[in-house]
Amino acid sequence: MNKFVFSMLLVCAQGAAGAAEPIRIGSVVSATGAAAYLGDPELKTLQMYIERINAEGGVLGRKLELIHYDDGSEANKANSFAKRLIESDKVDLIIGGTTTGSSMAMIPLVEKAGIPFISMAAGVPIIEPVKKWVFKVAPTDRMAAEKVFSEMKRLGISKIGMLSETSGFGQSGNKESVAVAPKFGISIVASETYGPKDTDVTAQLTKIRATPGIQAVFVFGAGQGPAVATKNYKQLAITLPLYQSHGVASEEYIKLSGPASEGVKLPAAALVVAAQLAPGDPQKEVVTAYEKSYRERYKTEVSTFGGHGYDALMIAVAALKRAGGSDKARVRDAIEATRGYVGTAGQFDMSAGDHMGLGLSAFRLLDIRNGEWKLAQ
């Protein structure tokens, strides 16, 4: 082979390497609609870190391409977009499902197609029973209920009222709360529901307040609904302790609720109180770095929901590297083998029987004081 031919072959090889197909990451988030304050930071986080990863050379020499759709907080749209990602966009993996409803609508499609799917929603049904291709990074609604009930037991609270959203998240949260309450000596003696788009829940709260023996109220929902309930709670001058789920762990909840949120307690990830963590806390470094990057880029507060986007992406990237490429089966196996990853939600230790891998320690109990999240005392 002469030098000219060899040089031409070398140039062609280098050109082929430089034109390597990107790794296509599909995403369906609720960037608008009732769950927008969950989905918007998720999308922004994915965009920010994918840009950063690409600027640093990509993954295994390949760029990441984010193909995303906004389901408008409607599960039926999530199903349609998931189908588009799989059939038309030919994505290698999917990160998405801001809400439990959207995630559940996507699951049958990813399972049939055999595409790794990492959900950012909380509902237990997403991963129980275990589904081969489905994983999640948000702590479950069951864990949230256990964290809240543990605190109630400590305070001697045994009879509560519950207000749950009719969404997939709220329904699952209610079901899990009812299931675990007896373990903590808690009786749910009043239970009401509201719709995600309801602008007033005064009637439901009035019924709960009128139930004999009520000692506290637990609201299980996400998006704008819990803020509506919080304001109505204040308007009705209800003085019983008010607890929320992790579905409101965002500054937006405080903004929407205003002064009415003062004293509200809830379980949340360490991310929203990053500066308050002890120096030796294993999550201190990762949540502080994420918070700094997000604030600098978007000039706004972080939320646990953006953190879910970060964790999902970093788990996916690590799996792609361990798999040596984007082969779907190998990436799936690599995600399932995630161990010891410390993210914004806690330490992930996944297995064949646990496609989330978080323990109850992932939750910190917070309350709102002077309009700010604080570690509960």
Side-chain angles (χ1 to χ4, degrees):
M1 183 183 295
N2 62 43
K3 291 182 179 180
F4 175 76
V5 173
F6 178 79
S7 297
M8 290 302 293
L9 289 173
L10 182 61
V11 168
C12 289
Q14 290 173 337
E21 280 286 305
I23 296 171
R24 296 181 176 88
I25 297 178
S27 185
V28 179
V29 298
S30 301
T32 61
Y37 81 68
L38 289 71
D40 179 67
E42 290 172 347
L43 177 58
K44 287 178 177 175
T45 297
L46 291 174
Q47 292 172 326
M48 176 174 68
Y49 280 95
I50 285 177
E51 287 177 12
R52 180 178 295 183
I53 290 168
N54 284 338
E56 295 172 351
V59 177
L60 300 173
R62 297 167 64 185
K63 298 291 186 180
L64 299 181
E65 179 183 353
L66 178 65
I67 303 170
H68 62 88
Y69 297 104
D70 172 19
D71 65 20
S73 304
E74 297 182 25
N76 61 321
K77 291 184 179 180
N79 178 278
S80 297
F81 287 135
K83 186 175 183 181
R84 185 184 301 181
L85 287 171
I86 294 167
E87 297 180 358
S88 300
D89 300 317
K90 307 295 183 182
V91 297
D92 296 300
L93 61 93
I94 297 176
I95 293 173
T98 294
T99 66
T100 298
S102 291
S103 295
M104 295 302 292
M106 298 164 70
I107 285 174
L109 297 175
V110 299
E111 283 287 289
K112 182 178 180 181
I115 291 183
F117 173 51
I118 304 177
S119 169
M120 297 182 284
V124 169
I126 296 169
I127 54 164
E128 291 186 15
V130 172
K131 302 163 187 68
K132 181 175 180 179
W133 297 91
V134 180
F135 304 85
K136 70 190 289 299
V137 292
T140 66
D141 35 24
R142 179 188 301 153
M143 292 165 62
E146 290 175 335
K147 192 71 173 182
V148 168
F149 291 157
S150 176
E151 171 67 1
M152 287 181 175
K153 181 179 180 180
R154 186 183 72 82
L155 297 175
I157 295 172
S158 60
K159 293 184 178 181
I160 70 166
M162 195 156 186
L163 178 64
S164 309
E165 193 174 284
T166 55
S167 65
F169 176 68
Q171 290 178 15
S172 180
N174 179 277
K175 178 182 176 182
E176 296 301 325
S177 295
V178 170
V180 302
K183 293 197 309 182
F184 299 88
I186 305 277
S187 296
I188 301 173
V189 295
S191 184
E192 298 288 332
T193 62
Y194 69 90
K197 297 182 180 180
D198 287 356
T199 57
D200 187 275
V201 296
T202 300
Q204 295 95 313
L205 288 173
T206 300
K207 289 180 182 178
I208 291 174
R209 180 176 61 177
T211 305
I214 289 282
Q215 295 172 282
V217 177
F218 186 18
V219 178
F220 220 113
Q224 300 177 21
V228 171
T230 302
K231 289 191 288 186
N232 288 167
Y233 204 83
K234 182 72 172 180
Q235 291 162 357
L236 290 170
I238 301 176
T239 58
L240 299 172
L242 177 61
Y243 293 82
Q244 293 278 356
S245 76
H246 56 315
V248 302
S250 163
E251 289 292 326
E252 190 67 17
Y253 165 72
I254 298 178
K255 292 176 183 177
L256 291 172
S257 302
S261 66
E262 189 72 10
V264 170
K265 288 185 178 182
L266 77 156
L271 177 59
V272 294
V273 287
Q276 299 174 43
L277 299 179
D281 191 295
Q283 285 184 266
K284 180 79 172 181
E285 183 177 353
V286 65
V287 297
T288 300
Y290 170 78
E291 180 184 42
K292 182 176 184 293
S293 295
Y294 193 90
R295 282 177 181 269
E296 289 179 351
R297 172 69 177 268
Y298 297 112
K299 313 303 180 187
T300 189
E301 304 289 339
V302 297
S303 74
T304 58
F305 311 109
H308 298 332
Y310 174 87
D311 290 341
L313 179 62
M314 294 306 160
I315 287 173
V317 167
L320 286 163
K321 291 177 179 178
R322 292 198 302 274
S326 56
D327 178 84
K328 295 177 179 61
R330 289 183 179 180
V331 172
R332 188 220 77 88
D333 291 348
I335 294 173
E336 188 176 84
T338 299
R339 306 278 194 283
Y341 166 67
V342 177
T344 68
Q347 178 170 312
F348 292 83
D349 293 297
M350 295 187 186
S351 67
D354 183 356
H355 279 194
M356 175 184 65
L358 290 171
L360 195 58
S361 61
F363 274 133
R364 315 297 172 103
L365 188 69
L366 311 183
D367 59 16
I368 299 172
R369 280 174 267 153
N370 300 316
E372 296 181 349
W373 297 114
K374 300 289 184 181
L375 284 167
Q377 297 176 335

